[in-house]
Amino acid sequence: MTDFVADQLRVRIYENRAAMGEDAAKMAADSINLLLKRKETVNIIFAAAASQNEFLESFIKQDIDWQRVQAFHMDEYTGLPENDPQLFGIFLKKRLFDKVPFRQVFYLNGQATDHQAECERYAALLREHPVDITCMGIGENTHLAFNDPHVAEFNDPRLVKIVDLDEACKQQQVNEGCFDHISQVPVYAFTLTIPALLEADQIFCMVPGAAKAQAVYHTLKSEVTEQYPSTILRKHAGAYLFLEKESAAKIIEEAKQLSTLNY
């Protein structure tokens, strides 16, 4: 494992996805257990994506007092039928929420017809239960949750909003096997905003896979700007970025050329 710091963002590179997911899960569990020594409950935001699979598989095996942990998920499609397997709430229910006994799980309602009311309802829950930890990924277009570049706001006054998905984001859903064709991907989704995600004291960001290599490079090397939403992680003192050799390939190659890392 290689580690370094980009601004305030602590970066770890592992040999493979399994090692990445296991170490991230252990670190998250350690943080939760430390928080539970001084708090009655810990509130966590989770991402629903294939990039989180190894982390979630290891996370549910950790020794945690789950009945003192409460969970949110960070985004959800609109317009899909209830119990549709593409729903992010269903993804997390199968892989996490049904696997361990959380105190409470707060679901975004993708079937809500009054989108503004649903945003306000979920924002109220986030204010009632301030988030301690965010477990997340980064999109191929560097989005955080569904904050694609054209709708990302680092100083967004809202906690939850409705957004339209850009073409790169929709194509990623197809690339990851969630939909057969881009025309099937919903146009709109609920998302927690960037300030809502970064409100957590600690952020564990797991980003495996060759398809994310360019996004990782922008995250670590580009100017901190809403054009590349994930760059804002470099300004968070409690953020960790977990990579493996495929997702870190461009960073590793540049480091070899500059002889700044020992590979």
Side-chain angles (χ1 to χ4, degrees):
M1 191 268 290
T2 297
D3 66 300
F4 60 94
V5 178
D7 294 335
Q8 297 184 78
L9 176 62
R10 285 163 283 189
V11 184
R12 295 184 167 211
I13 304 174
Y14 298 83
E15 286 293 321
N16 53 58
R17 294 175 69 124
M20 179 208 71
E22 182 176 0
D23 200 43
K26 288 179 179 177
M27 288 182 63
D30 288 345
S31 293
I32 293 166
N33 289 328
L34 282 173
L35 285 167
L36 288 175
K37 289 181 178 181
R38 59 181 179 84
K39 298 186 62 178
E40 175 57 30
T41 58
V42 171
N43 300 305
I44 308 176
I45 299 170
F46 292 98
S51 64
Q52 306 300 293
N53 284 346
E54 291 80 10
F55 165 74
L56 293 174
E57 288 169 7
S58 184
F59 187 60
I60 60 176
K61 301 174 185 176
Q62 302 301 310
D63 185 12
I64 296 169
D65 186 354
W66 296 103
Q67 293 184 356
R68 295 170 61 197
V69 179
Q70 302 186 133
F72 293 85
H73 63 119
M74 62 179 57
D75 45 15
E76 186 58 276
Y77 295 118
T78 65
L80 293 180
E82 187 177 4
N83 297 320
D84 191 302
Q86 276 83 17
L87 287 168
F88 290 155
I90 299 297
F91 177 101
L92 285 168
K93 190 174 189 292
K94 290 180 178 178
R95 292 165 177 79
L96 176 62
F97 299 153
D98 278 353
K99 298 292 186 180
V100 293
F102 285 95
R103 173 174 288 193
Q104 291 188 89
V105 175
F106 302 106
Y107 288 96
L108 276 161
N109 180 10
Q111 289 74 51
T113 54
D114 188 333
H115 292 164
Q116 185 57 37
E118 177 60 9
C119 290
E120 292 172 2
R121 181 191 73 85
Y122 212 68
L125 288 169
L126 288 165
R127 286 191 291 268
E128 183 181 353
H129 307 285
V131 172
D132 300 290
I133 296 172
T134 298
C135 299
M136 66 192 314
I138 292 172
E140 292 178 18
N141 64 355
T142 72
H143 70 212
L144 300 179
F146 271 140
N147 295 283
D148 290 332
H150 73 293
V151 294
E153 297 181 54
F154 289 165
N155 297 309
D156 203 316
R158 298 158 293 185
L159 294 177
V160 186
K161 64 183 179 182
I162 192 89
V163 296
D164 62 303
L165 309 185
D166 73 14
E167 292 304 300
C169 177
K170 289 191 284 187
Q171 186 60 50
Q172 179 182 330
Q173 312 311 308
V174 176
N175 296 345
E176 293 182 353
C178 300
F179 297 90
D180 293 330
H181 190 270
I182 196 168
S183 63
Q184 299 173 329
V185 182
V187 175
Y188 297 101
F190 294 106
T191 186
L192 273 63
T193 62
I194 289 175
L197 299 172
L198 270 60
E199 182 68 20
D201 289 335
Q202 290 187 295
I203 296 174
F204 298 99
C205 184
M206 287 63 69
V207 188
K212 301 291 181 71
Q214 187 64 52
V216 167
Y217 186 86
H218 283 306
T219 301
L220 298 175
K221 298 294 184 177
S222 293
E223 179 185 356
V224 177
T225 171
E226 290 154 345
Q227 180 182 354
Y228 303 114
S230 58
T231 55
I232 195 63
L233 294 174
R234 304 210 313 262
K235 301 301 182 182
H236 194 291
Y240 286 87
L241 178 61
F242 298 87
L243 309 172
E244 44 71 54
K245 283 195 170 181
E246 288 190 340
S247 60
K250 291 183 180 295
I251 296 297
I252 292 171
E253 183 58 33
E254 181 178 277
K256 285 180 178 179
Q257 293 174 3
L258 299 175
S259 299
T260 58
L261 287 177
N262 183 24
Y263 271 88

